[in-house]
Amino acid sequence: MAAGPAGPRDTTYAGLLTRHRHAAGLTQEELAEKAGVSTRSISDLERGRVRRPQRRTCQALAAALALSGADLAEFLGSGGYQPIHAEPDDEPEVPAVVDRPLRELPPEVELAGRDGELARVLRLVDGHPRTHRAAVLTVHGAPGVGKTAFAVHAGHRLVERFPDGCFFVNLRGMDPDPLTAEQALGRFLVALGIKESALPDGVEERAGLYRALLRDRRMLLVLDNAADEAQVRPLIPSSAACLVLVTSRRMLSGLEVTARVPLEVLRAEAAERLLVSIIGEQRAAAEPAAVARVAELCGHLPLALRIAGNRLATRPRWHVAHLVAHLEDQRRRLTALTAGDLQVRSAFEVSYRLCDRNTREVFRLLSLVPPPEVPADLVAVLAETDVDTAERRLEELVDASLLEPGLSPGRYTPHDLLRVFAGERLALEDAPERIAAVESRMIGWVLRAATEAGFLLSPPGSGQGEETRVGIVRTAAEALEWLDAERPRWLAAARAGTKVGRYAEVLEFARAMHWYSEVRPEADLWREVFGYGVTAARALHRRRDEAVQLNFLGWALTLTRTRLAEALAVHERAWRAARETGDRNEEAWALQYCGRTELVQGRAVEAAEYIRPAIALFDELGDDLGKYIALSILGLALHELGDYAGAVDAHGQTVAFFRAPRMRPHGNLLAVALLRLADTHEAAGDLGAADDTFRESQALAAAANYPHVEGLAAFGRARCTPDPAAIRRHLETARSVLTETAEPWHHARVLDQLAQVVSAAEPGLAAAHRAQAKELCARVNTPESRALADRLAEVETAATRTG
């Protein structure tokens, strides 16, 4: 230290404090910040107003001034100390010197699948600017996700970067009696050399001394299992050379941090590796499918995986499949995930019990909502509250790591095992009649919301959805998005509604789904939905509605391409039902559907024989929508018969109808009409007109979120251009878009063409495309798909011989 001012040496406490502060180049305010003592106190001390400062104040100031040796002894001795504890006068007042770095980390455990998160932590530590405060990283996630194991592992990787040591403390945040900040500071100060008898009283005093002692140290602090922000804040040092790793089940969103590191469940491969590390490679290799299934049933949650692995490891005679059988039963799954003192259920219960009563109620209700996501508006219905309140409680569950935010606002995702736990709590805490009432509310609300959304997709003239409705969505685009997102819910509601006899609601729902099914043509889905519609109509003895639903069901059967005879028979039944009830409009629709089914079977002449009277009947009834849809099908039949001029005329009239302003909100219908017109232009050899028409169809389909038509239009453009680069670009677009659909046949055709384009330059990629195309053909299993598969196999054989 530099010498004090010239003149007689002032050895009073006030004089020493002033001299050492000046020598350190600190203002009173700067010293106050470093020592955790108020500026006014330092001013009073330097002016001699306080002659016997408290012990903790002297120690904090000495540490902030970095005094040592004789200077430290003189400084502490001059204070005289205002007694705080009744200690012997000869007790040493100087903190004990820690002569070796502290290493308090627990031993590491096997860690799988966290390479990305660990790399991120290391990058954050290396890139942290050396400012006025320590780097603070929070690690948060669901119960059992492995936060402590990850923090300990990261600590072992980082500890050599902190030569002054490492502290680890379990803050017991989930315990009924968590560690207080004052208690945690006391542990740190004792570890730093302060005797317990000399510990200051109070959080602020201990925090000030703690920060002063860490001012020039490079230390790693691992604060495990934090309860909340208030518990953590006093434990954060001001030294920029320190790093604080905090783990918590809560997000600690009120804490100012350098970065937040969320831990999610493991990927499937990492989950299986963790199991293998516990049960052994030889045992796992004997039952690889069972190992994968155990990992899946554990929800890839590290705690559950460790418990499952330990159960198998302690039962060497068990087959892995034996544990699978236990876990498959959802009622016994959490009980099966117990090994010694480790229980998945107990880990969940701790977080659950810390939530308030209303939030726990919402958590239990989550078990009734079909996976994967939970929408806030549905939770509001189940809990009989408003959406804002429901969302607030759901956010509380997110903060408690009992729920994950979904892909879009207002949507949430519970872990599979937490959903099982919620179901257990529901059965234990809620009366059966209350559960039944909640389920009934859910079925009714979901069916009503889906019906309203479906009607919004109905075009003018369809006779549906034209009345004023108040519901979840307001526009066709919103309706399409909602129906896509809520499919698990409305399908489950339709199943349950049919099962319990809510036939009127199910029938209205099935009627509303018709135009949505045109945009999402998935055979299995619509066979089921319209099958419920037929069942409901028959139960209600509504023969006309039965005819409508039979037509919808026959259309769904047509999508499979392997049940066309059955589809035609269903449409004929619909025609007879329409005739019996005198419903001429539905009779026309039945004729149109019969013609469409004949066309799919390759019988264009028979198709035209059905379609022409349907057009005449629609025209007589003034049903323009039905007329032009049937005219479009007639255009397809004429195309197959080689009458391209007639087909262009039919498709042209249909395009003109769907271009009308009132049809503009239903661009998907115009996209289909343009696609058919473009196909005919192509077949007639007018590739320029075909390409222009495919382009417009593709753009409209993309805007209408209609990937089936978008992909087919891109495929058409690939066939209409001579440019090899453009061909590949359009085929790649078609492949990418059709991957999203459940229509494998056209996807297989695109892959076949793409394989031909890349075969010379990229034979490996071509082989991969052919293999995927063959797999898709096997799923379709029609004569044309089998022929394509055989040709692909021949190409592959020839390529192998020459390669």
Side-chain angles (χ1 to χ4, degrees):
M1 277 228 163
R9 194 170 185 276
D10 186 351
T11 59
T12 65
Y13 188 83
L16 290 173
L17 176 58
T18 303
R19 182 165 64 85
H20 288 307
R21 179 174 64 78
H22 287 161
L26 298 172
T27 65
Q28 288 182 345
E29 291 78 8
E30 289 170 339
L31 178 58
E33 183 180 356
K34 286 179 172 292
V37 178
S38 70
T39 304
R40 181 171 180 177
S41 295
I42 293 176
S43 175
D44 288 344
L45 287 170
E46 290 190 353
R47 286 186 290 173
R49 290 189 175 182
V50 178
R51 297 184 180 278
R52 298 181 65 207
Q54 291 186 348
R55 176 196 304 268
R56 57 176 172 261
T57 302
C58 289
Q59 291 173 329
L61 290 170
L65 293 166
L67 300 181
S68 61
D71 284 339
L72 177 60
E74 180 184 34
F75 184 79
L76 294 176
S78 65
Y81 295 122
Q82 180 177 334
I84 301 173
H85 305 288
E87 298 118 344
D89 290 341
D90 60 348
E91 180 178 311
E93 306 293 352
V94 182
V97 176
V98 180
D99 59 359
R100 60 185 175 84
L102 296 163
R103 294 289 187 270
E104 294 192 352
L105 285 171
E108 290 189 77
V109 297
E110 180 70 26
L111 193 69
R114 297 299 187 200
D115 294 344
E117 292 91 340
L118 182 61
R120 183 183 175 216
V121 167
L122 297 179
R123 287 196 305 271
L124 288 167
V125 173
D126 291 338
H128 176 61
R130 302 304 180 187
T131 56
H132 64 286
R133 66 191 303 271
V136 181
L137 304 181
T138 60
V139 179
H140 63 86
V145 82
K147 298 177 291 296
T148 299
F150 175 77
V152 169
H153 186 83
H156 280 284
R157 290 285 304 272
L158 290 164
V159 72
E160 296 303 325
R161 305 183 189 199
F162 297 91
D164 293 316
C166 169
F167 289 148
F168 177 94
V169 63
N170 180 3
L171 297 175
R172 303 200 311 266
M174 297 295 107
D175 290 5
D177 185 24
L179 201 68
T180 66
E182 184 175 357
Q183 290 170 330
L185 286 166
R187 292 188 182 185
F188 289 151
L189 290 171
V190 168
L192 287 167
I194 304 298
K195 290 193 173 182
E196 287 193 37
S197 58
L199 290 175
D201 292 327
V203 173
E204 290 186 9
E205 290 78 5
R206 289 189 180 187
L209 179 57
Y210 163 75
R211 289 181 178 130
L213 292 174
L214 291 184
R215 182 171 66 89
D216 294 322
R217 298 188 189 224
R218 295 178 59 192
M219 297 199 71
L220 170 63
L221 311 170
V222 182
L223 310 179
D224 186 43
N225 196 11
D228 52 34
E229 296 89 341
Q231 187 188 35
V232 172
R233 283 194 188 99
L235 310 181
I236 298 175
S238 55
S239 170
C242 293
L243 169 66
V244 185
L245 280 178
V246 187
T247 75
S248 178
R249 293 189 184 184
R250 305 192 69 84
M251 288 190 177
L252 305 180
S253 53
L255 192 68
E256 185 180 352
V257 301
T258 306
R260 303 181 189 278
V261 182
L263 288 190
E264 299 179 352
V265 296
L266 300 175
R267 295 182 181 274
E269 301 81 7
E272 292 171 31
R273 285 202 308 272
L274 180 56
L275 271 177
V276 172
S277 72
I278 300 172
I279 69 175
E281 293 188 6
Q282 184 175 357
R283 190 175 182 186
E287 298 178 84
V291 169
R293 184 59 177 155
V294 168
E296 182 182 1
L297 291 168
C298 287
H300 302 152
L301 187 72
L303 175 62
L305 293 163
R306 292 186 190 282
I307 291 173
N310 288 341
R311 287 202 73 186
L312 289 169
T314 56
R315 293 159 177 79
R317 295 185 179 181
W318 272 19
H319 289 294
V320 179
H322 182 72
L323 180 58
V324 170
H326 280 276
L327 297 175
E328 291 275 11
D329 185 348
Q330 185 170 299
R331 296 168 299 176
R332 297 193 299 166
R333 189 174 305 168
L334 296 183
T335 300
L337 290 173
T338 301
D341 63 347
L342 292 178
Q343 288 189 0
V344 170
R345 182 184 287 113
S346 297
F348 293 165
E349 281 177 346
V350 170
S351 293
Y352 174 72
R353 294 300 176 192
L354 289 177
C355 297
D356 63 47
R357 180 178 62 83
N358 291 329
T359 304
R360 291 200 302 271
E361 177 192 11
V362 166
F363 176 75
R364 297 194 300 273
L365 294 175
L366 300 183
S367 64
L368 299 177
V369 182
E373 288 192 320
V374 175
D377 46 17
L378 177 55
V379 172
V381 173
L382 302 186
E384 293 185 289
T385 187
D386 58 89
V387 176
D388 289 343
T389 301
E391 194 157 359
R392 187 166 62 251
R393 291 172 185 168
L394 290 165
E395 286 293 331
E396 289 170 4
L397 290 171
V398 170
D399 288 340
S401 293
L402 291 173
L403 199 58
E404 289 289 330
L407 297 177
S408 56
R411 311 186 75 82
Y412 301 85
T413 307
H415 185 272
D416 290 347
L417 293 180
L418 280 166
R419 194 186 290 274
V420 172
F421 175 69
E424 284 190 354
R425 299 315 312 172
L426 184 74
L428 289 169
E429 298 184 38
D430 295 81
E433 55 271 19
R434 180 178 185 274
I435 297 173
V438 172
E439 289 177 324
S440 179
R441 275 201 309 278
M442 178 170 63
I443 292 169
W445 183 86
V446 171
L447 287 177
R448 174 176 170 271
T451 298
E452 293 182 0
F455 280 141
L456 278 172
L457 298 176
S458 304
S462 65
Q464 301 182 32
E466 296 180 351
E467 62 271 33
T468 300
R469 293 176 179 270
V470 179
I472 289 298
V473 293
R474 297 181 300 277
T475 67
E478 289 178 356
L480 186 60
E481 182 180 355
W482 189 91
L483 288 166
D484 285 347
E486 289 301 307
R487 177 182 298 185
R489 261 69 62 191
W490 53 252
L491 184 55
R495 290 168 179 162
T498 304
K499 184 176 181 180
V500 301
R502 298 175 71 153
Y503 297 123
E505 294 163 277
V506 170
L507 179 59
E508 187 76 350
F509 158 78
R511 189 168 72 94
M513 288 296 101
H514 170 60
W515 292 101
Y516 174 60
S517 71
E518 292 278 353
V519 184
R520 299 288 183 263
E522 299 177 28
D524 293 342
L525 171 65
W526 300 118
R527 282 203 312 273
E528 181 177 0
V529 168
F530 296 134
Y532 295 143
V534 172
T535 299
R538 287 175 178 168
L540 294 168
H541 306 292
R542 290 164 61 168
R543 187 74 165 140
R544 179 194 176 281
D545 287 310
E546 183 182 349
V548 173
Q549 295 301 313
L550 283 168
N551 272 330
F552 293 168
L553 176 60
W555 170 82
L557 289 167
T558 304
L559 292 176
T560 64
R561 296 178 177 271
T562 58
R563 301 175 68 174
L564 297 175
E566 181 183 353
L568 185 59
V570 168
H571 288 310
E572 289 172 345
R573 284 162 50 198
W575 179 80
R576 287 193 295 271
R579 295 275 290 182
E580 289 173 16
T581 58
D583 188 340
R584 302 185 70 209
N585 185 264
E586 199 58 40
E587 182 183 345
W589 280 108
L591 290 170
Q592 182 268 152
Y593 278 117
C594 285
R596 182 187 296 217
T597 305
E598 291 281 29
L599 185 62
V600 175
Q601 295 183 86
R603 297 199 286 262
V605 172
E606 292 83 350
E609 291 174 354
Y610 277 111
I611 296 295
R612 285 194 171 98
I615 293 172
L617 189 50
F618 279 129
D619 194 35
E620 178 187 340
L621 297 171
D623 185 347
D624 286 343
L625 180 65
K627 171 185 173 180
Y628 285 103
I629 288 177
L631 186 61
S632 180
I633 304 301
L634 180 61
L636 294 175
L638 295 174
H639 178 119
E640 292 300 314
L641 293 170
D643 182 1
Y644 298 133
V648 166
D649 179 62
H651 291 316
Q653 290 185 57
T654 307
V655 166
F657 173 76
F658 285 116
R659 283 198 194 279
R662 71 191 189 113
M663 290 293 181
R664 198 165 293 154
H666 302 277
N668 60 297
L669 298 175
L670 178 56
V672 173
L674 287 164
L675 179 70
R676 292 170 178 173
L677 177 59
D679 279 332
T680 301
H681 280 316
E682 179 192 355
D686 191 349
L687 298 186
D691 186 55
D692 290 342
T693 312
F694 278 131
R695 181 187 296 110
E696 184 181 2
S697 174
Q698 182 182 357
L700 282 167
N705 190 10
Y706 199 171
H708 174 75
V709 171
E710 182 186 356
L712 289 179
F715 187 24
R717 294 190 68 188
R719 300 192 302 268
C720 292
T721 177
D723 180 6
I727 292 173
R728 180 167 182 177
R729 184 173 66 252
H730 293 317
L731 287 174
E732 290 285 7
T733 298
R735 180 190 63 81
S736 175
V737 173
L738 289 173
T739 300
E740 303 174 19
T741 70
E743 212 294 318
W745 168 237
H746 296 301
H747 190 185
R749 292 174 60 213
V750 169
L751 287 168
D752 169 40
Q753 292 296 309
L754 196 52
Q756 294 180 44
V757 169
V758 303
S759 60
E762 301 175 74
L765 181 60
H769 287 326
R770 284 192 294 267
Q772 187 182 359
K774 285 193 295 183
E775 180 184 335
L776 291 168
C777 287
R779 286 167 50 191
V780 178
N781 194 29
T782 61
E784 55 189 352
S785 69
R786 289 193 292 271
L788 175 57
D790 290 342
R791 182 172 62 75
L792 289 167
E794 292 174 2
V795 172
E796 192 62 35
T797 301
T800 302
R801 288 172 180 167
T802 59

